[in-house]
């Protein structure tokens, strides 16, 4: 006897069983969607079969016969995240032209394809892709945001930048240690902020009124963007924006970041260290206000030449995790105040914090978050994944749903779900979610949910949903 679902199950094809493909497959299969994963590697397929309840096919996702075998004729979405840009693009085009798959997502790394001069390349009449994911550009933007709020390990804008999600590490100088969330709210009554989750020893806790924050916790705080600096100060972070930055690695991420800092008039003195002489010469012509240094970031003399001792932040973004880690440690030893370090292999993450590495960035997490936010149905405007996808922060519209005209205290939210803030439709005001606040039609709600509760969250908004 078939199960009946109140939501519509999606048929999704994922091309590529690497880290990103595997994580997306895990998310979608947990939500009882019909998922088929295609990959050319028997080893990758075996790993998927051992861990996930999904269909698998060995082959290339760009071949029509393989897509047909995967069920493309009745698929609602294809997500192409193989290592090859070309396979990803062709897979989407074949899915469109041969099988009329409505939604097509492709990961594209080569910046040449993303050049604004050729922006018509990805359109219905050319290569039909609905969402292009460029991990390099996404990571560069994530780093730029972290430089704006130096004390935060995460900073994500919501509601046209009126609301912000801050990830803050609770360190020994935090004045709020051992305070309950209720105490913190009453002590800072005029400050529009709300702690929606905290991670302690690898577990995510959705805090109630009487939960205390402790040293070593990582907390996620939803706040009015206008109060951002005051929120950071309340948690013991009074760092100012960096005046000097060293980027290590002149690949796509390093160059994209340097360009972003130049274009946004960030105002910091920026230097970029690149090992390959030819590459260093090439990127000199692409950047205007960034000093390029050709050399090895693991050579103390090169760091000294870059004046590491008077640099606030070093950002190693080479394609080798070990180089990024060792560069960060060496820079700290020579007097650099802060590190933002790119790490692809998640097995390293647990050892990095004790070593004194301040912020760890994972291209995989950022890419997964971007794809998930695109997949979410109906009136979910934005999604940000927390802790490798164990929790999600969402922005959703309350439109004709079951929560409209009710006070938050009367909603009986499922365990593992917490509302953070509301952008009121009538006056664009940011309101912190408290029990006596009434939700009105058209309000935008920022909330945190454990991944296993996503379906219940969607049900709260169910009237306006529908894929």
């Amino acid at each position: 006897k078939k199960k009946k679902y109140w939501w519509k199950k999606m048929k999704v094809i994922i091309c590529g069983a690497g880290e990103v493909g595997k994580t997306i497959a895990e998310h979608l299969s947990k939500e009882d969607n019909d998922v088929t994963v295609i990959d050319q590697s028997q080893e990758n397929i075996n790993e998927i079969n051992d861990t996930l309840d999904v269909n698998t096919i060995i082959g290339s996702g760009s071949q029509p016969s393989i897509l047909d075998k995967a069920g493309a004729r009745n698929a609602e979405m294809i997500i192409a995240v193989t290592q090859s840009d070309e396979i990803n693009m062709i897979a989407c085009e074949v899915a469109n032209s041969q099988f009329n798959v409505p939604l097509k997502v492709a990961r594209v790394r080569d910046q040449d394809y993303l050049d604004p001069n050729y922006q018509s390349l990805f359109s219905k009449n050319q290569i039909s892709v609905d969402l292009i994911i460029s991990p390099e550009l996404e990571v560069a933007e994530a780093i730029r945001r972290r430089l704006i709020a130096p004390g935060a390990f995460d900073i994500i804008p919501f509601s046209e930048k009126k609301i912000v999600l801050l990830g803050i590490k609770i360190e020994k100088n935090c004045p709020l240690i051992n305070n309950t969330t209720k105490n913190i709210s009453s002590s800072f009554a005029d400050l529009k902020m709300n702690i929606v989750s905290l991670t302690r020893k690898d577990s995510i806790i959705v805090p109630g009124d009487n939960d205390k924050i402790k040293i070593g916790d990582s907390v996620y705080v939803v706040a009015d963007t206008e109060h951002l600096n005051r929120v950071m100060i309340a948690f013991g972070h009074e760092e100012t924006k960096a005046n000097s930055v060293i980027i290590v690695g002149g690949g796509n991420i390093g160059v994209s970041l340097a360009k972003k800092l130049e274009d946004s008039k960030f105002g910091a003195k920026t230097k970029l260290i690149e090992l390959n002489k030819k590459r260093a010469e090439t990127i000199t012509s692409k950047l205007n206000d960034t000093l390029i240094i050709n050399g090895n970031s693991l050579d103390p003399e090169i760091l000294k030449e870059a004046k590491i001792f008077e640099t606030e932040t070093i950002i190693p973004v080479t394609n080798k995790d070990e180089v990024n880690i060792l560069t960060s440690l060496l820079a700290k030893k020579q007097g650099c105040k802060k590190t933002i370090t790119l790490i692809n292999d998640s097995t390293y993450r647990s050892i990095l914090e004790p070593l004194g590495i301040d912020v760890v960035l994972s291209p995989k997490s950022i890419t997964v978050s971007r794809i998930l936010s695109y997949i979410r149905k109906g009136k979910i405007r934005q999604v940000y994944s927390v802790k490798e996808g164990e929790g999600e922060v969402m922005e959703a519209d309350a439109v004709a749903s079951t929560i409209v005209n009710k006070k938050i205290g009367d909603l009986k939210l499922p365990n593992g779900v917490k509302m953070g803030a509301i952008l009121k439709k009538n006056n664009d005001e940011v309101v912190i979610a408290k029990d006596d606040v009434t939700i009105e039609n058209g309000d935008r709600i920022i909330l945190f949910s454990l991944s296993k509760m996503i379906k219940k969250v969607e049900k709260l908004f169910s009237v306006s949903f529908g894929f």
Side-chain angles (χ1 to χ4, degrees), residues 63-347:
Q63 293 178 341
S65 60
I66 294 290
L67 286 176
D68 201 358
K69 195 175 166 188
R73 288 179 194 279
N74 57 3
E76 279 110 330
M77 181 182 271
I78 182 167
I79 300 169
V81 285
T82 74
Q83 297 299 322
S84 159
D85 289 352
E86 289 73 17
I87 287 177
N88 295 342
M89 294 189 290
I90 293 168
C92 287
E93 181 49 39
V94 172
N96 180 62
S97 62
Q98 299 302 304
F99 304 108
N100 290 319
V101 176
L103 292 173
K104 298 154 292 285
V105 177
R107 176 170 63 184
V108 178
R109 286 203 162 110
D110 191 329
Q111 301 301 295
D112 202 54
Y113 290 122
L114 306 173
D115 188 320
N117 294 320
Y118 314 118
Q119 59 190 14
S120 64
L121 185 63
F122 298 101
S123 62
K124 289 288 175 203
N125 306 325
Q126 311 280 331
I127 300 169
S128 186
V129 181
D130 300 294
L131 176 70
I132 295 164
I133 303 283
S134 166
E136 286 73 12
L137 291 179
E138 301 278 349
V139 168
E141 175 56 21
I143 295 170
R144 189 194 67 79
R145 288 198 304 263
R146 281 159 177 77
L147 288 170
I148 295 165
F153 63 82
D154 251 348
I155 170 168
I156 312 296
F158 285 89
S159 302
E160 278 89 55
K161 301 186 178 174
K162 292 186 174 74
I163 295 172
V164 67
L165 174 72
L166 296 165
I168 304 170
K169 185 82 184 156
I170 304 300
E171 291 163 352
K172 57 178 183 287
N173 61 340
C174 172
L176 305 178
I177 290 168
N178 292 328
N179 274 280
T180 64
T181 53
K182 190 177 182 178
N183 275 355
I184 294 168
S185 294
S186 52
S187 304
F188 295 93
D190 64 327
L191 201 51
K192 291 184 179 177
M193 68 169 182
N194 197 354
I195 300 170
V196 290
S197 87
L198 56 91
T199 303
R200 183 176 296 154
K201 290 180 182 166
D202 264 6
S203 297
I204 292 188
I205 298 166
V206 180
D209 283 351
N210 298 317
D211 281 303
K212 292 180 179 179
I213 64 169
K214 299 191 172 174
I215 194 163
D217 287 352
S218 295
V219 302
Y220 274 98
V221 180
V222 170
D224 185 328
T225 304
E226 290 184 3
H227 293 193
L228 189 154
N229 288 334
R230 287 173 60 205
V231 171
M232 295 307 295
I233 290 166
F235 280 90
H237 288 283
E238 298 193 42
E239 303 96 326
T240 51
K241 191 185 81 173
N243 290 318
S244 52
V245 170
I246 294 175
I247 300 165
V248 178
N252 286 334
I253 295 177
V255 173
S256 298
L257 175 59
K259 268 188 184 160
K260 274 182 181 290
L261 295 183
E262 288 183 356
D263 295 346
S264 65
K265 307 280 188 284
F266 183 72
K269 278 187 214 149
T270 306
K271 296 167 190 164
L272 191 154
I273 300 174
E274 167 55 41
L275 180 61
N276 182 296
K277 190 165 194 260
K278 199 173 175 189
R279 177 68 182 163
E281 286 165 0
T282 305
I283 58 182
T284 302
S285 61
K286 293 183 180 180
L287 299 167
N288 303 318
D289 303 321
T290 305
L291 176 67
I292 311 297
I293 297 169
N294 172 220
N296 186 345
S297 63
L298 297 178
D299 179 350
E301 289 306 311
I302 291 290
L303 289 180
K304 202 179 278 183
E305 183 191 327
K307 299 195 172 164
I308 191 70
F309 50 88
E310 57 183 49
T311 299
E312 273 143 317
T313 308
I314 190 162
I315 309 164
V317 289
T318 76
N319 57 8
K320 291 183 179 165
D321 288 354
E322 294 80 2
V323 170
N324 296 341
I325 293 166
L326 290 171
T327 299
S328 297
L329 298 176
L330 202 55
K332 274 277 184 102
K333 197 176 175 190
Q334 291 201 19
C336 182
K337 295 181 186 69
K338 189 176 174 65
T339 60
I340 297 176
T341 310
L342 188 77
I343 299 293
N344 283 289
D345 187 341
S346 53
T347 55

Side-chain angles (χ1 to χ4, degrees), residues 334-367:
Q334 291 201 19
C336 182
K337 295 181 186 69
K338 189 176 174 65
T339 60
I340 297 176
T341 310
L342 188 77
I343 299 293
N344 283 289
D345 187 341
S346 53
T347 55
Y348 280 126
R349 289 182 77 94
S350 59
I351 65 163
L352 298 179
E353 208 178 287
L355 291 175
I357 289 174
D358 302 296
V359 176
V360 177
L361 275 184
S362 155
K364 180 188 93 170
S365 298
I366 290 167
T367 306

